[in-house]
Amino acid sequence: MRARWLSRFSRTIGAVAVTAGLLATAACGGSDKDTSAKDATDDKGSAAVGAAFPRTVEHAMGKTEIKKAPKRVVALDMTFVDATLALKSQIVGYTTFSSPDEKLPAYFGDDAGTYAGKAKPVGTLEEPSLEKIMALKPDLILSAKVRHEKLYKQLSGIAPTVFTEDTGATWKDNLKLVGKALGKEKEADEKIAAYDKRAKTVGDEVRKKKGANPSVSVVRFVDGPTRLYKEDTYIGVIVKDLGLGKPEDAKGTGFNADISEEQIKKVDADDIFVTAYPDPKGASAKSREKFEANPLWKQLKGQVHEVDDTTWMLAVGVYGANAVLDDVAKTYGVDAAKA
């Protein structure tokens, strides 16, 4: 009887000790393995920063399990390079727009060296190389359904792959999705909130200085019809965040309005921001020259401002958006509201 009692007592003490040890380990937060759903979420129910992996991320192509915090990201569109760098995560591969050896854009500043110092091109945006991607041994691949839907199955065979539905006007939501994939939701929300606050401040300063809310149009010359950008675009979202007015044909959704030479007056606004796609053959520049030589162009009442196509059109992310705010502040001579 005494032997059985001692045996039960020993098992009880052992269980208590094990439980205490587990509680101590959880309190130290020294493991990145599974924790309870309560531990892995904040009080709003979203996954907290540093939450445990593995995690399953829902995205445009379905669901993807990511077993551990990604440390080697391949981004197949510059918007995902932007999002990954903004969340201080390592890029090992990226696609280029034209030349196969393009460097990352200068608007990323020092962060490109810090988080993508050894990153390599893996082909162009239109034709990423599966072989080059595989050679980099990524633990996360990022792209969009609109870009590489046909490659999704093959990419998923290389590494966990997360796709947004689209790029462009959805750039803030895309940043949030990348935050989920990287386990950095809080940082993503903070980046967006800081940008939103800055955009409103710059817009308010412009209105204060002008004594009214100026209208702006954003015109892009390409190899084809000239484009007047609407609200349902990356740059359209920025103009909306600034709270600035826009001409009638720039309102609403639908990406852009194609403007012929006979319709030049449709781009007129208090300020007209103009950019040209830097295509290697110079077709966009020729289109611009033709437009600006038209007598109707000279009849525009608004002031024309030349801006960088890379940040105003191609960037599609928070770095690019902040560069646009820099340009707007400089154009109107107001404080740029940088932190």
Side-chain angles (χ1 to χ4, degrees):
M1 176 71 72
R2 177 177 174 83
R4 287 198 300 272
W5 180 85
L6 285 174
S7 176
R8 288 197 299 271
F9 179 77
S10 296
R11 288 197 299 271
T12 301
I13 292 297
V16 170
V18 169
T19 301
L22 290 173
L23 290 172
T25 300
C28 292
S31 173
D32 64 353
K33 295 183 179 180
D34 289 344
T35 61
S36 70
K38 182 177 180 180
D39 290 337
T41 58
D42 57 22
D43 58 358
K44 294 182 181 179
S46 61
V49 175
F53 284 84
R55 58 171 51 194
T56 299
V57 177
E58 294 188 28
H59 56 96
M61 298 299 292
K63 298 180 180 180
T64 295
E65 183 184 31
I66 303 174
K67 294 184 177 181
K68 58 183 180 180
K71 295 181 180 180
R72 297 180 60 82
V73 179
V74 167
L76 301 183
D77 188 298
M78 205 53 63
T79 187
F80 303 111
V81 173
D82 190 300
T84 304
L85 295 182
L87 299 178
K88 302 185 185 304
S89 295
Q90 294 291 329
I91 292 279
V92 295
Y94 61 93
T95 54
T96 63
F97 285 112
S98 53
S99 165
D101 57 351
E102 283 178 14
K103 303 296 183 183
L104 289 176
Y107 61 79
F108 288 132
D110 293 340
D111 286 349
T114 303
Y115 303 107
K118 297 181 179 180
K120 298 179 179 179
V122 292
T124 63
L125 177 63
E126 291 79 12
E127 297 183 2
S129 166
L130 295 173
E131 184 179 357
K132 290 181 179 179
I133 294 169
M134 186 180 297
L136 293 175
K137 298 180 180 179
D139 50 21
L140 178 65
I141 299 172
L142 299 170
S143 190
K145 184 176 180 180
V146 71
R147 297 294 193 198
H148 303 119
E149 180 180 7
K150 293 181 179 180
L151 294 178
Y152 178 75
K153 185 175 181 180
Q154 292 165 288
L155 292 170
S156 296
I158 297 173
T161 301
V162 172
F163 273 22
T164 63
E165 185 73 31
D166 204 348
T167 62
T170 59
W171 63 271
K172 294 182 189 179
D173 289 335
N174 294 353
L175 175 55
K176 290 183 178 182
L177 182 62
V178 174
K180 290 181 181 179
L182 295 172
K184 296 185 176 183
E185 294 95 321
K186 183 178 179 182
E187 286 99 326
D189 289 340
E190 288 173 347
K191 285 287 183 180
I192 294 168
Y195 156 79
D196 285 340
K197 180 180 179 181
R198 185 184 177 213
K200 183 180 184 305
T201 300
V202 171
D204 288 344
E205 288 298 311
V206 169
R207 285 180 283 277
K208 181 180 178 181
K209 181 167 184 177
K210 301 286 288 187
N213 192 34
S215 61
V216 303
S217 63
V218 182
V219 179
R220 190 191 198 196
F221 294 102
V222 296
D223 183 11
T226 297
R227 297 173 177 176
L228 174 64
Y229 280 78
K230 294 192 173 188
E231 297 172 15
D232 196 23
T233 60
Y234 154 67
I235 194 63
V237 169
I238 299 173
V239 172
K240 183 178 180 181
D241 292 338
L242 285 159
L244 301 177
K246 55 185 74 67
E248 195 61 35
D249 282 79
K251 294 179 180 178
T253 60
F255 189 64
N256 64 271
D258 290 342
I259 304 297
S260 67
E261 287 191 61
E262 293 76 21
Q263 299 172 313
I264 283 177
K265 287 190 176 181
K266 288 187 175 184
V267 310
D268 212 357
D270 293 322
D271 293 280
I272 305 164
F273 293 92
V274 172
T275 180
Y277 175 64
D279 60 285
K281 296 182 179 179
S284 302
K286 290 178 181 178
S287 176
R288 176 177 179 173
E289 290 173 6
K290 186 178 179 182
F291 248 72
E292 293 181 343
N294 190 305
L296 291 176
W297 184 267
K298 294 176 173 59
Q299 293 177 23
L300 295 176
K301 297 177 181 179
Q303 187 172 356
V304 177
H305 311 276
E306 184 175 353
V307 292
D308 185 359
D309 193 82
T310 302
T311 49
W312 281 66
M313 293 294 157
L314 300 177
V316 194
V318 71
Y319 285 89
N322 275 302
V324 171
L325 296 186
D326 289 342
D327 290 342
V328 171
K330 184 177 180 180
T331 297
Y332 290 102
V334 300
D335 183 70
K338 291 185 176 181

